[in-house]
């Protein structure tokens, strides 16, 4: 009976009382008008028509409303698998495009604003895991320019490889990852995720004894809505 309760309790909690796991951050679904410019792929994987590219993308952009950054880590709660997700909408950042090249980009978040759906998990995150009082900010800075040629038409989603410096928990590492971007007039939406090996950033494994165990890595997810400054 104790074994049944020990395994069945977490199963019932996760599958009936726990909130559903948020979907991964991705580009907002849009429907572009038809034109001969080609086709793009929406966030749900469905082909959408595009409009022709409308002029230069050059300029400076700032992160605005609708942006979010967070983490996604797989956990096992007494034998039952679940996924921990925490997010913040308190994101600042800039993007600079010169000609047809993204020459600079950065985004930052105050770590104490990253919240999950569980107060106990938040307390562990703020304290022993990320020590947000000592390391209050997480930051990514692009270090290699991204060639945007050919410039995408409005509504077309394109993938790019980005390389930069990620700073978490006081440690900075070079990271390379794939992101997707979509042009929306004077707005550019960018989404992706960055694999994070906890030991690379001197982050204590989030596991709690034998009650909650996690993998030794997770994902830093982001959705950045850039508007022209």
């Amino acid at each position: 009976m104790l074994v049944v309760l020990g395994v069945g309790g977490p199963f019932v909690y996760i599958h009936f009382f726990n909130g559903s796991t948020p979907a991964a951050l991705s580009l907002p679904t849009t429907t572009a008008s038809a034109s001969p410019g080609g086709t793009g792929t929406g966030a749900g994987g469905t082909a959408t028509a595009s409009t022709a590219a409308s002029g230069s993308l050059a300029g400076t952009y700032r992160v605005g409303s609708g942006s979010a950054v967070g983490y996604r880590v797989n956990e096992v709660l007494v034998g039952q698998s679940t996924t921990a997700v925490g997010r913040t909408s308190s994101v600042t950042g800039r993007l600079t495009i010169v000609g047809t090249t993204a020459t600079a980009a950065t985004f930052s978040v105050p770590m104490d604003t990253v919240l999950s759906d569980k107060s106990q998990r938040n307390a562990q995150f703020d304290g022993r895991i990320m020590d947000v009082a000592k390391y209050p900010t997480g930051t990514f800075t692009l270090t290699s320019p991204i060639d945007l040629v050919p410039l995408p038409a409005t509504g077309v989603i394109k993938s790019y490889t980005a390389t930069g410096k990620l700073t978490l928990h006081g440690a900075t590492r070079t990271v390379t990852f794939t992101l997707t971007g979509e042009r929306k007039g004077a707005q550019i939406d960018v989404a992706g995720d960055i694999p994070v090996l906890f030991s690379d950033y001197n982050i204590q494994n989030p596991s709690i004894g034998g009650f909650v165990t996690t993998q030794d890595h997770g994902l830093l997810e982001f959705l950045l809505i850039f508007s022209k400054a």
Side-chain angles (χ1 to χ4, degrees):
M1 179 62 72
L2 290 175
V3 171
V4 170
L5 289 175
V7 176
F11 178 87
V12 171
Y13 172 75
I14 290 170
H15 295 283
F16 293 96
F17 296 104
N18 199 25
S20 59
T21 301
L25 290 173
S26 61
L27 296 176
T29 302
T30 59
T31 302
S33 59
S35 87
T39 58
T41 302
T46 303
T48 58
S50 68
T51 58
S54 52
S56 172
L57 283 175
T60 299
Y61 299 75
R62 289 192 176 90
V63 171
S65 176
S67 301
V69 173
Y71 65 81
R72 180 175 297 266
V73 179
N74 292 328
E75 326 180 298
V76 177
L77 174 61
V78 193
Q80 299 296 320
S81 297
T82 184
T83 301
V85 175
R87 287 183 182 160
T88 178
S89 59
S90 298
V91 189
T92 58
R94 294 170 68 90
L95 166 66
T96 301
I97 298 177
V98 177
T100 58
T101 303
T103 58
T106 185
F107 66 85
S108 299
V109 300
M111 298 301 291
D112 62 357
T113 66
V114 179
L115 299 175
S116 73
D117 61 345
K118 296 291 180 290
S119 60
Q120 299 93 329
R121 181 187 293 134
N122 295 337
Q124 293 290 325
F125 179 89
D126 289 349
R128 71 180 183 89
I129 299 172
M130 297 304 296
D131 194 358
V132 300
K134 186 175 182 179
Y135 309 109
T137 307
T139 303
F140 170 79
T141 302
L142 186 72
T143 56
S144 297
I146 300 175
D147 185 3
L148 305 177
V149 174
L151 289 178
T154 298
V156 171
I157 294 175
K158 293 189 66 175
S159 295
Y160 303 93
T161 299
T163 297
K165 298 286 189 180
L166 178 64
T167 299
L168 294 172
H169 199 249
T172 301
R173 298 288 181 268
T174 298
V175 293
T176 298
F177 56 95
T178 299
L179 57 80
T180 55
E182 181 179 5
R183 178 181 190 173
K184 295 180 178 178
Q187 176 179 304
I188 300 174
D189 297 351
V190 178
D193 55 57
I194 305 173
V196 174
L197 182 65
F198 300 142
S199 60
D200 282 348
Y201 299 87
N202 301 316
I203 297 172
Q204 187 175 146
N205 190 289
S207 299
I208 304 175
F211 183 67
V212 177
T213 58
T214 72
Q215 296 177 323
D216 63 356
H217 62 279
L219 291 176
L220 185 158
E221 301 180 323
F222 60 89
L223 168 62
L224 305 174
I225 309 298
F226 287 104
S227 297
K228 208 160 193 178

